[in-house]
Amino acid sequence: MADWTWWLALSGALVILELFTGTFYLLMIAIGVACGAITASIGYSTPAQILTAAVVGVIATGLLHRSRFGAPARQDAARDPNVNMDIGQSVVVATWTDGKARVMYRGAPWDVQLGPGALAEAGSFRIVEVQGSRLIVANS
């Protein structure tokens, strides 16, 4: 079996492993290994093939790390509906006192505070943030 076929088989295996991880880092290494296969098919020596694969893999990984795909923006957990199931739910507030209220929500009393731009009037509100045992709400 020729050297380039081993390189391509390794590259394919890395792509398959990438499908299980969900990141793009193994894909970048697979690109480097594929470049090693190209170097092998041209006829360069084994050390040149390894060096090509390593250099291209490191450069591709570095470029990925600097891109928006390499480091996803972190969201505040207090506002993230994927972390807190209360975000987006509705509460009904009967009366407000200085931008604060007390409501029953999920069978327990909660402190409620108006979020930025919300109006203090009786009615239904949407939860936009949870800070401890305090719900920050906005008009529905």
Side-chain angles (χ1 to χ4, degrees):
M1 210 169 183
D3 286 347
W4 66 270
T5 55
W6 287 108
W7 284 104
L8 282 182
L10 179 58
S11 179
L14 287 170
V15 169
I16 290 170
L17 284 174
E18 172 61 42
L19 294 174
F20 291 108
T21 64
T23 65
F24 288 113
Y25 288 102
L26 281 179
L27 188 60
M28 298 300 109
I29 301 300
I31 290 170
V33 171
C35 288
I38 292 170
T39 306
S41 68
I42 293 172
Y44 283 96
S45 66
T46 302
Q49 298 167 24
I50 294 171
L51 184 63
T52 301
V55 168
V56 172
V58 167
I59 290 172
T61 302
L63 290 173
L64 173 66
H65 185 69
R66 291 188 167 273
S67 74
R68 66 183 178 104
F69 299 108
R74 299 204 185 271
Q75 264 191 331
D76 182 17
R79 294 180 163 271
D80 189 356
N82 295 321
V83 174
N84 194 326
M85 68 180 193
D86 297 318
I87 306 297
Q89 299 299 318
S90 295
V91 293
V92 177
V93 179
T95 59
W96 290 95
T97 307
D98 297 328
K100 296 182 171 128
R102 191 99 166 133
V103 298
M104 286 297 288
Y105 174 66
R106 291 197 297 142
W110 288 73
D111 292 327
V112 178
Q113 182 178 338
L114 285 172
L119 302 174
E121 52 192 32
S124 179
F125 290 83
R126 183 177 43 87
I127 301 170
V128 294
E129 185 176 351
V130 177
Q131 294 177 349
S133 63
R134 187 172 27 152
L135 304 173
I136 310 300
V137 297
N139 294 87
S140 293

